[in-house]
Every structure is written in structure tokens, then in C-alpha cells.
Amino acid sequence: VDADALLRAVVSASLPGASLALPGDPVDREVWVRLLDAAGAQRLLGHVAAAVATGVLPVGDEQLGELRTAHLASLATVVLIERSMLDATRALEDRGVDHRVVKGAALAHTLYDDPSERGYGDVDLLVPGAHMEAALTALRSLGYRRAYPELRAGFDARFTKAVTLVGPSGYELDVHRTLLMGPLGMLVDVDGLLAAEARFALAGQPVRTLDPAGHALYAAYAVAFGDRSPKLSSQRDLAQLLLSGTVDEGRLLRLAERSRAQAVLARGIRSAWDGLALEAAHPLRALADAYTPSAAELRLQRSYLGARRSYAAKARDALGVLPSTRERIAFLRAVLTPSRAFLDNRGTSALGWLRRGARATLGRADG
Amino acid sequence: MDRWTQVDGVLERGSLGHVVLLAPGRNEPSIANASSAAVWRELADAPTQDDLVARIGVTFGLDAAEAAQGVEQALAELHRAGVAARGR
């Protein structure tokens, strides 16, 4: 039994149409250790624990104890992160800063029957660009500090994907202006995403989040272009969202269209279904299969894929989708001539920064 | 008789019968084993200690003395962790 294949089977096991076989007896020691290591590294211990609890993954007594210990340790971190999230969202509420909790922290409470199943390691907030400065000010008052300097003054509110903050307890909080870097990120209809709001209660405190269609679009970006290889957790999130019947599919398709992300959505859905080997029928899976990206959509995707994937390539392609000359000039100035603090943080000079960007853009090295 | 309750604002997660609990204002989560976790869950409807002993005895198949000792110990742990409180 291959541990990676076993983990994939475990993650998909409780979804409709799951087709991957699970062993009928406890796996041997070597496979078990590799399974736990991989699940821990990918924050998937909750899915393993759920599979054991429901009896679909048989384990011995020793394995049960090891899994429980590892999962409880990760959950101890999760509750500390949640405490910091509640403090942060309360501060934003008090100052009238529009925000939504997104990704793992929200999905754990809105998508999964047992929030312990969905692990995560940081808090992600989505705010409108116009509220970015107010959000950062509110969070600074709680002791949050930037993980790295702003590229150039004003960049965060207008162009950045997210600002990473580190809280007093050491946990990270990402304040997102959009869902990903590069041209596709610049095109996201964030106002449309924020237009519908859902809430969940945590320790008696209401928390704002996206509606299921917004979560599904977010998950599709994560699956399609979030990492070099799609994360199993994101594939599971997207598949579960769509199969849960809670997503307003018309709204999801409209959001994708307004964000020029139909190809992203199609790619994400195909990846989730294929990655988890799901045999469940779904109208959006059928649409995704039939979708052929246009030449323009393929151009939008090129900086996210293959050897040409780089920060510099994403910046180059983002320039092409900005709506005005003024925006393009401001973006180009920031990207080409970052602040001294930013360069110092990266350990490079202005010239070194330009050389690295040029090499990456021309495809001769990673940027 | 005094009733026992869950403290408001506790953050909670569970795995395979055990639970992780974080009380308001604390920086160190507590882990409750299966019996303490069962007691914790029972506190949701503010039982008396006698009620708790009866329920835990049934759940774990214990006699009254064993159940009373287990409940006493679990309540002490949960109280120390700041997640359980005594009230009327």
C-alpha cells in the first residue's frame, strides 16, 4: 500500500462517488508512519481521524493512540489560532471594517459536520481594498506586525494579493485584498464575492464569512493555481462544497464570469474530481469537462503554470489587465522600484531585484 | 443542589473520543480524555453532580462509587482548566 495513495483514498472516503479502495486491515508500520507524516504535513489528520472514527480505515490500538495524539496536538494549535481570530474579527467589527473569514477557519465551521475534520494553520481574512489600511491599523492595535515590508507605499490597498501579519502569539494572519497573485487575482470580482455574506458562531461570537458560492470560487482558485501541485485539502473542500447542494450554482457561474475565471473554475473542478477519483455526477463537472479555454484565458494562466511560473511573470501579466494607464504606471513603478525596506528584507539591491525579475520574466531562472 | 455548567466562550475540538478545550483568557489548551470529555459534554445542560454520576455510570458501565470518583476527578480537572463552573 502506498501512503500517498492511501491518504488520497482517506480524504475522499466520505464523499459521494468515492472510488478509491481502502485496506480491509490495519496497514503495516512503515506505511502507517508515512501516512501520519504526510497527513500531518498537509493538515489532513482530521480526515484520517474521521475515517478511523467511522470505521472505513481500520487501525490497531497503537495506531489509534498515535493518531489521536498527533491530531489532538494539531487541534490544540487550532483552538489557539481561533482565539486570535476571534480577537481580530472583534477588533474589525468594533472599527466598522468590512471583512470575511475565508478558507480553512471558515470552512471548518460551515462545510464540515465536525470542524475538527478540517485542519488549518493560519487565519485568512478577505477585505475590500478600500478597507485594507483600516484593517491593518485595527490589527496593529492588537499587536500584529507585518511579516515583510510593503513593496511600496500604497501597494497593499491597490494591488497586493495579501498582507501577512504575525500576531503576539506567533500565529500568522493573512489579510487578503484578492484571492491570488498575478493577472487572475487582479480580475477577481471581490465586491461580488463580498456582496453575499454568511455567518457562523464560534464560542458565542458571530463571525462573518462568504456564502457557499464564494467559498467554491475561492477553492477553485486554490485548486487550479494556488500551488505547484493542488492540495488535497483544497480539492476536498471544492468537491464537498459542490456536492453538498448548498452552492448557488448560478451565482457561482456569474462570479466566475465577472472575474474572467470560467477556465479557473473548470480547471479546479476537473482537478478536484480527478485528484480524488470521484465518480459522482454533478452538472458543474459536466460543464467543466466540456469547457475549452479561449486563447485569452490561456494567456491569463501562463504565469501560473510550468517552468515560467514566477512572481515576475505574474507581475508582467498583471500589468496587462489593469484597467487604466494610471494604474499600470503605479503598479510598474512599485514592482520595478520597491522601497528600501522591502529590498533590505529580501537581501537584495535595486539592481539585483531588477536582474532577478528580468531573468524570471525571460524564463531563464525562477524569480 | 449546585449545578455544573460549561463556561461561556470555551473553544473546543474533538478527536476519537478526547477533546481539546481552551478557556477564555487562557493560553494553554487542556486535553480531556474520554471520561473527562464525556463529563464535559454532559455539562451542556447544567446537571447536578448527582445527575452527572448517574449518567456517567450508565455510559461507562460503572457502579455508583466508581462513577462518583470519576466524575469528581473530571470536574476538578475541568474546573482547573477554566472550562467548567459551579452554579445554581
Side-chain angles (χ1 to χ4, degrees), chain B residues 42 51-64 67:
Chain B
E42 293 292 347
D51 290 339
L52 267 176
V53 169
R55 292 181 201 174
I56 293 299
V58 170
T59 302
F60 290 95
L62 303 173
D63 66 33

Side-chain angles (χ1 to χ4, degrees), chain A:
Chain A
V1 180
D2 174 71
D4 292 334
L6 178 56
L7 185 56
R8 195 170 292 276
V10 164
V11 169
S12 64
S14 61
L15 288 170
S19 68
L20 298 173
L22 286 157
D25 295 304
V27 294
D28 65 32
R29 180 80 196 150
E30 185 185 343
V31 173
W32 175 252
V33 169
R34 288 177 49 215
L35 175 71
L36 274 194
D37 285 349
Q42 297 174 57
R43 305 190 201 287
L44 296 170
L45 287 166
H47 291 300
V48 181
V52 169
T54 54
V56 299
L57 180 66
V59 292
D61 289 345
E62 189 181 2
Q63 293 174 339
L64 180 70
E66 289 171 345
L67 171 60
R68 182 192 287 130
T69 299
H71 191 210
L72 289 170
S74 72
L75 292 173
T77 300
V78 164
V79 292
L80 288 166
I81 292 171
E82 287 195 335
R83 178 70 69 208
S84 66
M85 177 181 82
L86 290 174
D87 293 342
T89 54
R90 192 181 304 115
L92 296 174
E93 287 287 345
D94 290 347
R95 292 173 186 237
V97 179
D98 195 12
H99 65 278
R100 305 285 185 277
V101 176
V102 294
K103 302 172 72 174
L107 292 172
H109 292 280
T110 58
L111 180 60
Y112 291 88
D113 290 338
D114 178 359
S116 300
E117 192 170 351
R118 178 59 162 91
Y120 56 92
D122 64 2
V123 174
D124 295 281
L125 301 174
L126 178 65
V127 302
H131 285 208
M132 177 62 91
E133 274 309 315
L136 297 179
T137 300
L139 295 167
R140 266 195 300 271
S141 74
L142 295 179
Y144 281 89
R145 296 288 174 263
R146 298 182 68 102
Y148 46 83
E150 189 173 14
L151 187 66
R152 198 175 177 89
F155 189 83
D156 291 343
R158 295 171 77 179
F159 304 119
T160 198
K161 171 204 169 196
V163 177
T164 297
L165 303 176
V166 180
S169 51
Y171 298 114
E172 285 191 354
L173 186 158
D174 290 333
V175 185
H176 294 256
R177 189 195 65 88
T178 184
L179 313 195
L180 73 170
M181 289 176 64
L184 290 167
M186 296 293 184
L187 293 168
V188 174
D189 177 17
V190 175
D191 290 341
L193 273 173
L194 296 172
E197 178 185 314
R199 291 189 181 209
F200 62 93
L202 183 57
Q205 184 177 320
V207 179
R208 296 171 191 261
T209 187
L210 301 175
D211 71 327
H215 281 303
L217 185 64
Y218 217 132
Y221 280 106
V223 172
F225 298 115
D227 299 276
R228 283 184 192 273
S229 299
K231 287 182 179 168
L232 279 175
S233 60
S234 299
Q235 290 177 322
R236 165 76 194 233
D237 289 341
L238 180 56
Q240 181 150 338
L241 276 158
L242 296 182
L243 292 168
S244 69
T246 60
V247 172
D248 178 340
E249 290 164 19
R251 172 167 152 76
L252 173 58
L253 292 171
R254 286 192 299 278
L255 279 173
E257 184 180 3
R258 286 200 297 263
S259 303
R260 291 172 60 185
Q262 296 104 317
V264 175
L265 183 60
R267 183 184 173 89
I269 292 170
R270 284 197 304 269
S271 170
W273 252 251
D274 294 346
L276 298 174
L278 295 177
E279 293 175 350
H282 192 281
L284 291 184
R285 164 72 208 224
L287 276 180
D289 276 344
Y291 195 84
T292 304
S294 67
E297 285 174 318
L298 291 174
R299 275 196 300 279
L300 286 173
Q301 296 179 9
R302 66 183 174 178
S303 63
Y304 300 88
L305 300 170
R308 305 293 286 267
R309 173 192 167 109
S310 71
Y311 176 86
K314 288 188 181 76
R316 175 201 63 206
D317 288 359
L319 198 61
V321 302
L322 289 171
S324 69
T325 303
R326 185 177 171 163
E327 291 279 288
R328 285 192 285 275
I329 289 171
F331 180 78
L332 200 56
R333 182 164 179 249
V335 168
L336 294 179
T337 60
S339 69
R340 171 51 55 195
F342 181 88
L343 291 170
D344 288 347
N345 180 264
R346 290 298 186 100
T348 188
S349 64
L351 191 58
W353 175 256
L354 285 175
R355 279 186 181 141
R356 194 162 69 174
R359 280 199 302 271
T361 308
L362 296 171
R364 290 202 293 265
D366 274 349

Side-chain angles (χ1 to χ4, degrees), chain B residues 4-88:
Chain B
W4 283 89
T5 59
Q6 296 178 344
V7 167
D8 287 341
V10 173
L11 290 165
E12 174 186 359
R13 281 291 200 285
S15 179
L16 301 166
H18 293 211
V19 292
V20 174
L21 301 164
L22 180 64
R26 300 279 180 105
N27 296 319
E28 191 70 35
S30 301
I31 294 177
N33 63 18
S35 52
S36 294
V39 170
W40 161 256
R41 285 189 290 272
E42 293 292 347
L43 299 187
D45 61 352
T48 65
Q49 191 157 337
D50 287 348
D51 290 339
L52 267 176
V53 169
R55 292 181 201 174
I56 293 299
V58 170
T59 302
F60 290 95
L62 303 173
D63 66 33
E66 289 172 321
Q69 186 183 1
V71 165
E72 185 77 36
Q73 194 174 332
L75 286 173
E77 276 176 28
L78 296 169
H79 189 252
R80 268 199 307 276
V83 300
R86 199 193 295 261
R88 288 192 181 273

